[in-house]
Each structure stands twice: as C-alpha cells, then as structure tokens.
Amino acid sequence: MTGEVPKEDGGAVSLEDLRQKMVDFVKERDWEKYHSPRNLLLALVGEVGELSECFQWKGEVPKGLPDWKDEEKQHLGEELSDVLLYLVQLSHYCGIDLGKAALRKVHLNAIKHPVNRYIKSIPEEENKKSDDVDDDDDSKITNQDNNNGNGMTENLQN
C-alpha cells in the first residue's frame, strides 16, 4: 500500500475488498498483536464519537447536507469510513461474515416488522408471507438480533 489516495473508478467496493485491504494494511505494519476484538470495539466506539462531533451543534440536518461546506462533507466521509473500517475489522477478528449477517438481520427485521403493520393501503395478500409468521414464535429471532433498528433494544415477548 502506498500513501497515494486511490482514484475513484466508479465501481462498487465490497465488504470483502475492504476486509482484505485492512488485513494487508494491518499485516504490513505488524499490528495484528493489537487487534483483539475488545481493542477493535473500543477503537470503533472512539470513531463513532468522532463521527458524532461532525453533527454536534448543527441541530437537525436535512438529507443531502445542502448547507454543509465541501470540507465538512469530506471530513464526514472520512469519519464514516473510520467507523466502517473498524466494523469490518471487528467482524473479521470475530469470524463473522458481516455481509451475510447484515442480510440476515434485514430478513429478520422484515419478519418482525411486516409492511402491512405500517402501510395500511397494502392489500393483505401482498403481505401474506409476513402474516404467516407466528408472533409467539421467537425462536426465529435470537437475543443477538433483539434490536428494533432504532438502536433501542426491545422485548420480543410483546
């Protein structure tokens, strides 16, 4: 890896691309000895704090950040990237395929929060699959999936 900033080619970047880049980056610097799950989690939390500072004192911010300067958006991108890269590394060191885990979580959230509960104009037959899930069968959702998507944990035994 060089110190050059890579040119954006417009192509999609996968989580696997990022994971492998970070494995190489860490190995080249002999940092593996410092990268335990605990240390990576603490570093991730620190980066989330830095990301939060980008929004501090700005009040409610509209989508697209129309009032932000280019430098502020660039800094935000850097902080978002730090969070993503630590998350990718943490999942790697924990042996979790982050892409698969995220897709599974989206699926579990779709079961837990069927569209017809939120959009009343959807015909019932379009949401039949969601309705077929027994609300009392929590075996499909484990404790690690006990997050309502808002960052708040809720009781699955409603």
Side-chain angles (χ1 to χ4, degrees):
M1 271 189 173
T2 66
E4 295 177 22
V5 176
K7 305 243 186 311
E8 294 182 33
D9 65 358
V13 177
S14 71
L15 290 175
E16 177 55 27
D17 293 338
L18 294 175
R19 187 197 67 77
Q20 190 57 56
K21 285 238 183 249
M22 291 310 300
V23 165
D24 295 344
F25 183 89
V26 167
K27 187 175 223 142
E28 289 169 352
R29 287 152 182 81
D30 194 28
W31 287 351
E32 294 105 334
K33 58 189 165 225
Y34 306 114
H35 284 201
S36 66
R38 176 191 170 275
N39 288 347
L40 290 167
L41 176 61
L42 293 175
L44 173 63
V45 169
E47 293 300 338
V48 169
E50 291 182 26
L51 174 60
S52 299
E53 288 176 354
C54 294
F55 291 91
Q56 190 173 17
W57 315 120
K58 291 197 180 277
E60 199 56 44
V61 178
K63 290 180 183 178
L65 314 175
D67 300 327
W68 285 36
K69 298 175 190 159
D70 288 341
E71 301 83 37
E72 291 175 308
K73 288 183 179 182
Q74 183 174 350
H75 183 237
L76 175 63
E78 291 167 359
E79 296 305 336
L80 286 165
S81 298
D82 286 340
V83 169
L84 175 62
L85 293 173
Y86 273 116
L87 184 61
V88 167
Q89 289 182 88
L90 177 59
S91 66
H92 169 71
Y93 280 87
C94 291
I96 303 294
D97 182 322
L98 189 57
K100 287 180 182 176
L103 287 174
R104 179 177 183 274
K105 184 62 179 177
V106 169
H107 174 73
L108 291 171
N109 284 341
I111 292 169
K112 187 175 176 184
H113 303 284
V115 173
N116 65 349
R117 286 191 188 160
Y118 304 96
I119 309 296
K120 298 301 178 192
S121 63
I122 303 287
E124 289 297 316
E125 57 272 3
E126 287 185 32
N127 286 299
K128 186 133 179 78
K129 286 183 187 174
S130 296
D131 289 340
D132 290 342
V133 176
D134 182 3
D135 286 337
D136 294 331
D137 185 8
D138 291 336
S139 65
K140 292 179 178 64
I141 303 174
T142 65
N143 284 338
Q144 75 183 36
D145 298 313
N146 191 11
N147 183 300
N148 69 7
N150 296 329
M152 302 293 290
T153 302
E154 64 183 36
N155 184 350
L156 295 176
Q157 301 294 328
N158 299 351

